[in-house]
Each structure stands twice: as C-alpha cells, then as structure tokens.
Amino acid sequence: MATTPLVQDLLDFISLPDADDAAFHAMAMRLFAHQVRHNPAYARFCQSRGRTPATVRRWQDIPAVPVNGFKQLTLSCTPVEACERVFMTSGTTGGDEHKGRHYHPDLRVYDASMRRHFADCAGPTPIRMAILFPDETALPNSSLAHYLELCRREFGLPGSRHYWDPEGMDEAGLLEFLRGARAEQQPVALLGASYSFVHLMDALAGLIEDFRLPAGSWLLDTGGFKGRSREIPMERFYAQLSEVFDVPRERCLNMYGMTELSTQFYDHGNAVVPSVKHGPHWMRTRAIDPLTGQSVPDGERGILVHTDLANYNSVLGILTEDVGIVGADGFQLLGRAEGAQAKGCSLAVESFVQAARP
C-alpha cells in the first residue's frame, strides 16, 4: 500500500520520543482539516456547530463525537470498501447491524501506535506469553484480537500462543503452560480480557497445586467483565491475581482501550485502585460536563474525552460514557456515567445524529 504524505507524517510523529502541546496542536489541526474535507458525516456535524478549520483555534475545540455515534453513522475519510480492516464493537445483543464500526484504511498507523506505547509501558520483553483471548482468525473484526496478536508477534518469545477460542478456555493447555513456567523458572506474561482471568482463577481454585509464577513475570488485563463472568470489585480482583500468581500488584497492569480509538492507555500497575491511566504524546484526555460540553478543572469528575491523533481516518475526538478525573499524570477511570451525566451523554448522541445525517 502506498503511503500518503499525511500518513507518513503521522507515522513520523508517533515515532518521536515526545511532543509538546504546540506540536500536538499543529498535527491535530492538520488532521482535523483532512477529516472535515473527507468525512461527510463528521463535516456536517462540525458545520452545524460552527466549528471548522477556519474557526477552531485550539485542539480542545475540535468537536468530539459521542462514542455511540459509531453505531449510527459511517465515520470514515476513505470509502469503506477500500479500507484494510474494520473493527467492530463487542456488543452481545442486537447483531452486527447495531455494532459500532471503526474503519482502518492502513493498519500501519494502528500497529505503530500500539507497538510504540506498549514498548514503553509493558513489563520486560521479549517474554513467553499466554494469550487469554481468541486470535484474529477467529475474531477478524475484534480490535482486541488484533492488539493481542501484535503483542504476541512483536513482543512474545517463541512458544507464545493463544489459549482461548470462541468456545472458551484451553484449560489443559494453560495448565501445561503454567506448570512449565514453574519448572523452568523463566518469567512469563499472561495477557487477555479481564473476564478470562476470572475464569482461569476459578479453574485453578479447584486444584491443589502451586501456580505462582517465576520472578519477573507480569500480567495484563483489559476490558472488564461485560457480563461474561462473575463481577469482582477491582480491589479484590487485583488482590486475587497477585495472590494466585505471586505477581506484585505493581506488575498487574491494566490496558484501557476502545474499538473507537487507535491507541491504548496503560497504568503503572494496580497497587492502588483506581489506578492512573496514561497515554502517549499523540493523545490527550480531558474531562467535560456533558450537558454544557465545557471542560471541568483537573481534579474534578467529568465525562472523559480522548483526542487520538492515530484516529486519522475517523474522528480525532471521542466523547466516552466513562466518568473520570484528569490530573497532571493521566486520568483515573471511575465507572460508567449515571443519572444526569448519562442523560447528558444520551443527549449528545441524539444531537450528533441529527446534525450529521444528510
């Protein structure tokens, strides 16, 4: 695939050691102009707000799209039939027609974003990995399946593989993996959906056996429980992970990601919950009042808005339905919006759809 100047400049930006606010602003404004020019639904929304490249002076004023807008309208600068991959949200009801879609014409941007930030945030690599999630052959429209395949391929030692398929856990294979790690005393990593760890710990609980991992091992969970396992409060979840596998809670990492984003957030472990998530230099996060759309001061609760420059083909700004507190070092994720905040998010979706439809 030929690399356009815009994509090449974005790849170069991601590869930088860091970038200040001025550099972030300049790249954001360039991408915003590209999206208003080539993304019809988004252009209509921006024009309805009177926010165009001619009027926006700060990256914070680039209109953010409610996350559920991806379920309602096509948000792509490139014709969807020309896109290399489409990732779909993982809703368990309603069928594919009710899932959000994120179109990627060139996965090199997503992949570069993942590799660059993962290398800075994960535990020691390369390392032998057990992936607790189906592979992307089984789930070709899952951004998490692709993400974990990149983890395995780019950062895993030979012997790393998936121990999960759409039918569930390969319990025999995982037991062999864990016993082998104990016998060889070589550090390993377990990575996968949070609910997969719950199922694994439940399976191990019935066995009178030591499954403590060698020193240097680390764990990475993501995605919460989503009705796929019993719910566990975060404090108990990480305490149990640390106890079962003998991995310090500082090495029990959590990845916060969304299908609608092209970049992930990480913490520095979960010794204390809620942990502080942080993104790379091509991302910014702020918290807003969903009823007014105005940013709230750092340290106050609000609805999280993520601006991801790697989202070059869709929209830069994503208005989530997650409540959080933003600070100098990142943000704390407090849960889903409820009450007035949830109503504000719903109104934002309705307003977006009305403005963005032809």
Side-chain angles (χ1 to χ4, degrees):
M1 178 183 294
T3 303
T4 67
L6 181 68
V7 168
Q8 186 58 60
D9 289 348
L10 180 55
L11 290 170
D12 291 343
F13 189 88
I14 289 171
S15 70
L16 294 173
D18 202 355
D20 61 17
D21 286 341
F24 181 90
H25 169 81
M27 181 58 74
M29 293 303 297
R30 182 178 172 190
L31 292 168
F32 176 50
H34 171 78
Q35 291 173 353
V36 169
R37 187 178 305 118
H38 297 289
N39 187 334
Y42 183 58
R44 288 189 290 269
F45 174 59
C46 292
Q47 289 160 5
S48 76
R49 295 293 184 271
R51 294 189 182 182
T52 68
T55 62
V56 169
R57 295 289 178 265
R58 307 183 311 150
W59 67 262
Q60 294 93 331
D61 296 326
I62 293 173
V65 169
V67 66
N68 279 328
F70 282 76
K71 297 179 180 179
Q72 305 288 335
L73 295 166
T74 298
L75 296 168
S76 179
C77 293
T78 303
V80 297
E81 61 274 10
C83 290
E84 182 178 356
R85 188 76 67 88
V86 55
F87 293 140
M88 297 168 61
T89 54
S90 57
T92 56
T93 60
D96 286 353
E97 67 273 15
H98 296 292
K99 293 183 177 182
R101 287 171 166 79
H102 194 181
Y103 297 95
H104 295 268
D106 190 338
L107 273 176
R108 286 177 295 179
V109 174
Y110 182 101
D111 293 357
S113 175
M114 179 273 164
R115 287 193 300 263
R116 176 74 171 76
H117 196 36
F118 185 91
D120 290 341
C121 298
T125 58
I127 193 170
R128 194 154 63 96
M129 295 179 174
I131 308 297
L132 311 182
F133 198 75
D135 64 25
E136 58 181 339
T137 301
L139 298 177
N141 297 120
S142 167
S143 59
L144 180 55
H146 181 69
Y147 165 89
L148 290 169
E149 172 59 20
L150 285 172
C151 291
R152 185 198 65 79
R153 188 174 73 217
E154 301 286 339
F155 300 97
L157 287 172
S160 300
R161 73 173 183 87
H162 293 258
Y163 290 87
W164 220 271
D165 62 32
E167 303 304 314
M169 174 173 54
D170 175 7
E171 184 173 341
L174 274 168
L175 289 174
E176 182 180 0
F177 176 91
L178 295 171
R179 288 165 180 156
R182 289 281 297 163
E184 297 167 13
Q185 281 300 295
Q186 294 297 316
V188 296
L190 307 181
L191 304 88
S194 309
Y195 67 81
S196 300
F197 280 94
V198 175
H199 288 304
L200 175 57
M201 290 190 292
D202 286 348
L204 299 181
L207 303 175
I208 305 175
E209 200 168 341
D210 187 350
F211 291 104
R212 291 178 296 171
L213 297 176
S217 298
W218 50 272
L219 313 175
L220 184 146
D221 80 287
T222 186
F225 307 107
K226 296 182 179 177
R228 298 175 185 265
S229 70
R230 59 189 173 91
E231 293 279 344
I232 305 180
M234 285 295 100
E235 174 64 32
R236 191 189 312 165
F237 175 69
Y238 289 110
Q240 188 175 352
L241 276 182
S242 181
E243 179 181 1
V244 171
F245 298 109
D246 196 30
V247 173
R249 286 182 56 166
E250 291 80 1
R251 303 314 303 153
C252 295
L253 311 175
N254 177 263
M255 183 274 279
Y256 168 83
M258 302 171 64
T259 300
E260 299 83 2
L261 293 173
S262 301
T263 305
Q264 300 78 36
F265 297 92
Y266 301 92
D267 51 37
H268 295 297
N270 281 272
V272 176
V273 293
S275 59
V276 176
K277 313 292 185 191
H278 57 94
H281 62 262
W282 58 94
M283 291 198 80
R284 297 288 189 275
T285 296
R286 57 197 179 96
I288 70 162
D289 179 335
L291 293 174
T292 66
Q294 298 300 308
S295 296
V296 301
D298 283 2
E300 293 188 11
R301 295 166 63 103
I303 300 297
L304 297 177
V305 175
H306 305 301
T307 301
D308 181 3
L309 300 188
N311 264 18
Y312 78 99
N313 184 60
S314 55
V315 294
L316 298 182
I318 303 295
L319 170 62
T320 73
E321 296 180 347
D322 295 325
V323 179
I325 296 175
V326 176
D329 298 327
F331 65 90
Q332 290 178 300
L333 184 64
L334 303 181
R336 302 289 282 179
E338 296 180 351
Q341 289 182 323
K343 182 179 180 181
C345 292
S346 296
L347 291 173
V349 174
E350 293 176 12
S351 177
F352 166 72
V353 172
Q354 289 174 1
R357 286 198 190 279

